[in-house]
Amino acid sequence: MAEEVSLLSSPSESSTSLLSEISNASTRAFVLAFTVGSCGAFAFGCIIGYSAPTQSSIMKDLNLSIADASSILSIFYSLFGSILTVGLILGALICGKLTDLVGRVYTIWITNILFVIGWFAIAFAKAVWLLDLGRLLQGISIGISAYLGPVYITEIAPRKLRGAACSMSQLFTGVGISVVYALGTVVAWRNLAILGSIPSLMILPLLFFIPESPRWLAKVGREKEVEEILSRLRGENSDVSDEAGEILAYTEHVKQQGDDRGFLKLFQRKYAFSLTIGVVLIALPQLGGLSGYSFYTESIFISTGVSSDVGFISTSIVQMLAGVLGTVLVDVSGRRSLLLENHCWETGTPILALISVTLYFGSYGLGMGSIPSIIASEIYPVDVKGAAGTMCGLASSISSWLIAYSFSFLFQWSTTGTFLMFTTVTGIGFVFIAKLVPETRGKSLEEIQSLFSF
């Protein structure tokens, strides 16, 4: 881990400071928490990528062939693909309140149990409704964990490694998608579902040992535990008094404002800028076609005469390599530059099937896959973080559902028109990021939140 972290730090830092930061971050508690976050992101990616390589085999097992009429195929697979995002919407509705009420760790328990139940419902399904139920449960758990995962990592990581730690954790979402794409070419869909449950089963015993977020503890009045948890995360010999003091002081400042409007508090004028940034960044990947690419990759390849096996393997390799590069650069070049570079590449994707899909997932892994979640988890104060998580989750889920449900119909209508629409969205996103999104690299969460609340 030390070699990886050395690549993630700014070149201007002294070697002494860098080694100290590595030593402080590499405690057992931090490594366990990071492992849980990474496995959760991997499980997330397995679920997202599952429907694309299994489309044909599921249809065969259900005795539905292409000859049965394209409308039947489209309706069935639009439902199977889009019902995941229906669950995402339901999960997004409760994620903020749930994480604020029971804490980050107990919510991770809930999401991983739902992951496992969903996978086994799919693996042992004898009817379509059980397949859809499994995907719905998985969608609910993703709707909760999509915001929870980055929030938990950003709240426990030291500021100089926060972006890299969160990005590396989110990198495993892309790895999960890539692994499922590759395995889907050689493993039967029921066996693939069983394999997909393994990351969540691995997480469950680790949850007994990971610490709660110190910022959540401060929010719920458990101030005495804040410094203790920080010592576990940074190392017993580390002086965490300044960090603990900053967290407690900012939390107390927020509480003294005395606004009890609950969810509606997020819609105050001082949060308008941060709410706009978070919601737009989270929705951009979906409106740019992510769900369509993820759920219907096989259809895209087949329709253009490209071998789906070759396409899936090529896409998997490129996405993983781009994700690693993005993780290395996020705390060096910053969030803004990677987001802008991502959109530059995406606007060229509707050219050739294999090249376009490969470039799309490569650019997604480089920046847009993790950075919107990183920024959204950084910019909201603890008193509105739950409500903001719900809003960001709804923005992502609803836009994802719209694309997932409509993509197959749009694709039949006009492939060129479909990808031109996605290109237009990414172009608008480029302008939005260039003009409005500030850099958050190297700042504490409290400094970032003060910057965005005015």
Side-chain angles (χ1 to χ4, degrees):
M1 182 175 177
E3 291 179 357
E4 292 177 339
V5 175
S6 67
L7 292 172
L8 304 175
S9 302
S10 171
S12 63
E13 294 174 340
S14 67
S15 59
T16 302
S17 174
L18 177 58
L19 291 173
S20 175
E21 191 67 36
I22 295 170
S23 175
N24 289 344
S26 300
T27 64
R28 179 178 298 178
F30 181 81
V31 170
L32 283 176
F34 176 78
T35 301
V36 166
S38 299
C39 287
F42 183 85
F44 187 149
C46 290
I47 292 171
I48 294 296
Y50 178 77
S51 61
T54 58
Q55 176 180 352
S56 298
S57 56
I58 290 176
M59 295 300 296
K60 288 178 181 177
D61 279 7
L62 292 173
N63 296 318
L64 287 174
S65 65
I66 302 297
D68 290 330
S70 60
S71 61
I72 296 177
L73 177 62
S74 297
I75 291 172
F76 167 74
Y77 220 69
S78 289
L79 179 61
F80 185 67
S82 63
I83 201 169
L84 181 72
T85 48
V86 173
L88 282 169
I89 295 172
L90 296 177
L93 285 171
I94 64 173
C95 73
K97 192 68 175 179
L98 184 63
T99 54
D100 280 349
L101 182 64
V102 304
R104 311 327 189 202
V105 175
Y106 281 122
T107 307
I108 296 174
W109 273 100
I110 294 170
T111 58
N112 280 278
I113 290 171
L114 289 177
F115 277 153
V116 173
I117 294 173
W119 278 123
F120 279 98
I122 293 171
F124 297 103
K126 300 297 183 181
V128 174
W129 70 267
L130 195 53
L131 282 174
D132 290 339
L133 177 61
R135 291 293 276 179
L136 180 66
L137 291 176
Q138 291 179 335
I140 292 172
S141 57
I142 289 178
I144 298 170
S145 61
Y147 190 71
L148 169 65
V151 165
Y152 180 64
I153 295 296
T154 57
E155 288 183 344
I156 66 171
R159 73 174 71 179
K160 293 179 182 178
L161 298 178
R162 188 180 62 242
C166 192
S167 182
M168 190 177 295
S169 175
Q170 293 302 296
L171 165 65
F172 283 89
T173 299
V175 174
I177 295 173
S178 301
V179 168
V180 168
Y181 274 13
L183 288 177
T185 63
V186 294
V187 178
W189 65 273
R190 293 185 187 275
N191 294 335
L192 188 61
I194 294 175
L195 291 175
S197 68
I198 292 176
S200 294
L201 291 172
M202 291 175 57
I203 289 173
L204 292 176
L206 297 179
L207 295 178
F208 289 104
F209 305 103
I210 66 171
E212 184 54 83
S213 161
R215 289 172 172 83
W216 181 80
L217 292 172
K219 177 181 182 294
V220 297
R222 294 162 61 178
E223 292 89 351
K224 294 182 180 179
E225 299 177 54
V226 171
E227 191 163 336
E228 175 189 346
I229 293 297
L230 284 173
S231 294
R232 288 179 60 192
L233 290 168
R234 307 291 181 257
E236 295 297 333
N237 296 324
S238 301
D239 183 3
V240 297
S241 56
D242 288 343
E243 185 177 4
E246 184 179 18
I247 292 171
L248 293 172
Y250 186 78
T251 304
E252 183 62 27
H253 168 71
V254 170
K255 288 181 178 179
Q256 287 178 354
Q257 295 180 359
D259 194 322
D260 297 323
R261 285 182 284 177
F263 184 84
L264 295 178
K265 183 177 181 180
L266 180 63
F267 297 94
Q268 296 179 70
R269 183 176 180 180
K270 64 179 179 178
Y271 298 127
F273 181 56
S274 59
L275 180 61
T276 300
I277 295 295
V279 166
V280 172
L281 284 182
I282 289 291
L284 271 176
Q286 307 300 340
L287 295 177
L290 175 62
S291 295
Y293 279 106
S294 298
F295 296 149
Y296 300 101
T297 308
E298 184 175 27
S299 297
I300 296 172
F301 287 142
I302 291 175
S303 68
T304 54
V306 176
S307 167
S308 58
D309 290 352
V310 172
F312 282 132
I313 293 172
S314 300
T315 299
S316 301
I317 293 172
V318 171
Q319 184 170 357
M320 284 193 287
L321 292 176
V324 171
L325 180 60
T327 298
V328 171
L329 294 177
V330 67
D331 274 333
V332 177
S333 63
R335 281 60 153 165
R336 272 173 49 89
S337 59
L338 288 180
L339 286 174
L340 292 172
E341 182 176 350
N342 173 83
H343 281 284
C344 284
W345 278 102
E346 281 189 356
T347 55
T349 57
I351 302 173
L352 297 172
L354 180 59
I355 295 176
S356 69
V357 174
T358 303
L359 279 180
Y360 180 87
F361 280 112
S363 61
Y364 175 78
L366 180 63
M368 213 62 183
S370 61
I371 295 178
S373 296
I374 295 175
I375 294 178
S377 65
E378 290 175 330
I379 62 179
Y380 298 110
V382 68
D383 60 325
V384 296
K385 186 163 284 189
T390 294
M391 287 299 298
C392 290
L394 284 174
S396 177
S397 303
I398 292 173
S399 57
S400 177
W401 179 81
L402 288 173
I403 299 301
Y405 185 77
S406 63
F407 186 86
S408 64
F409 303 108
L410 290 172
F411 199 67
Q412 292 177 21
W413 161 68
S414 171
T415 55
T416 302
T418 300
F419 293 123
L420 284 176
M421 286 192 294
F422 294 152
T423 300
T424 301
V425 171
T426 57
I428 294 172
F430 180 91
V431 175
F432 177 86
I433 294 166
K435 296 293 185 181
L436 294 177
V437 178
E439 182 58 67
T440 61
R441 173 173 58 103
K443 299 181 177 65
S444 72
L445 293 182
E446 288 68 32
E447 290 171 340
I448 295 169
Q449 291 154 14
S450 298
L451 174 67
F452 276 85
S453 300
F454 52 83

